[in-house]
Amino acid sequence: RQAFGKPLVDQPLMKNVLSDLALESEAATALAIRLARAFDHADNAHEQLMARILTPVAKFWICKRGSHFAQEAMECLGGNGYVEEGGEGVMARVYREMPLNSIWEGAGNIMALDLLRGLRKGDAAAALAQELAPARGQHAALDRLADALPARIEAMTTEVEARRLTQDVALAVQAALLVQTAPAAVTDAFCASRLGGNWGQAFGTLGAGTDFDSILQRAMPR
């Protein structure tokens, strides 16, 4: 698609939106693969505990973000993303069906409460600290969150803040995984936006210092 004399993908605002979506997609993929690895090594005590913790965390956060992600992706495609004539409209169907993911097999509140139950299995705070340890020192915002999580886990005596804790565990683990697997452009942008507060309330609000071209190049199909 073209606008103002050049492809949309070359427009600064569209680069911001697409880069933001790319960060979300890679982080979600990394978390899902990490959870699968935990189940693949069920004979390991640490992996058993991470499977118990990350199952509700991943379902809660990826499903919550999914509807927003699908809506923004459909907007990027414009009318082609919305229209379903002639057998087309895969994006519209994905957007329409996405909310079901956070409803069946346990809604958001159930996942948050299930995390609280999982945190009572073994030394969950120590296991989470071990999980985040390889990423220590790579980004100040991640270090601050990692420092705060153990005390928040130990002090979680009420269910009222369970959703917030689930969200923050998801973001911390996602950030730690990206530190270990993604280039600096991806890691820095993710941590600055999701953990450091340099982000708005919608996709496409990454800071001006983001390396958009590197993020988009990594996300392009090969």
Side-chain angles (χ1 to χ4, degrees):
R1 296 169 62 201
Q2 300 271 338
F4 304 106
K6 58 183 177 181
L8 279 182
V9 71
D10 293 332
Q11 299 286 355
L13 271 177
M14 184 58 78
K15 282 188 175 183
N16 198 321
V17 171
L18 294 176
S19 295
D20 216 350
L21 291 174
L23 294 178
E24 194 74 26
S25 177
E26 182 162 355
T29 302
L31 180 57
I33 291 175
R34 174 63 187 93
L35 177 56
R37 178 158 61 90
F39 279 98
D40 284 343
H41 298 278
D43 56 337
N44 180 284
H46 174 73
E47 296 299 328
Q48 289 177 4
L49 195 48
M50 293 313 299
R52 180 65 185 88
I53 294 172
L54 293 184
T55 295
V57 165
K59 185 179 187 304
F60 173 84
W61 189 237
I62 294 175
C63 290
K64 286 299 177 192
R65 299 295 295 154
S67 294
H68 299 287
F69 185 96
Q71 187 276 330
E72 196 69 55
M74 186 169 64
E75 183 177 325
C76 290
L77 292 173
N80 291 331
Y82 183 80
V83 174
E84 297 185 81
E85 295 178 358
E88 300 297 332
V90 172
M91 192 67 247
R93 178 179 61 79
V94 170
Y95 173 67
R96 184 173 62 250
E97 296 178 356
M98 186 66 76
L100 183 59
N101 290 323
S102 61
I103 297 173
W104 67 358
E105 299 297 334
N109 285 349
I110 300 301
M111 292 300 99
L113 295 176
D114 194 38
L115 172 63
L116 294 188
R117 286 192 290 268
L119 291 175
R120 301 186 185 104
K121 304 287 185 180
D123 193 344
L128 190 57
Q130 179 181 335
E131 189 70 18
L132 302 179
R136 286 288 198 160
Q138 299 302 308
H139 198 282
L142 176 55
D143 285 347
R144 286 194 296 271
L145 180 56
D147 288 340
L149 280 176
R152 288 174 59 190
I153 291 172
E154 294 298 334
M156 186 61 66
T157 59
T158 175
E159 299 173 358
V160 173
E161 296 183 3
R163 278 192 174 213
R164 181 62 180 270
L165 179 63
T166 309
Q167 166 194 293
D168 289 349
V169 170
L171 290 173
V173 174
Q174 285 181 327
L177 292 169
L178 292 180
V179 165
Q180 298 171 74
T181 61
V186 171
T187 300
D188 291 344
F190 185 88
C191 290
S193 57
R194 274 63 172 177
L195 307 183
N198 190 16
W199 202 30
Q201 300 298 314
F203 283 111
T205 55
L206 298 172
T210 302
D211 187 351
F212 300 110
D213 290 333
S214 294
I215 295 172
L216 291 176
Q217 183 179 8
R218 176 173 174 81
M220 289 295 180
R222 293 172 175 81

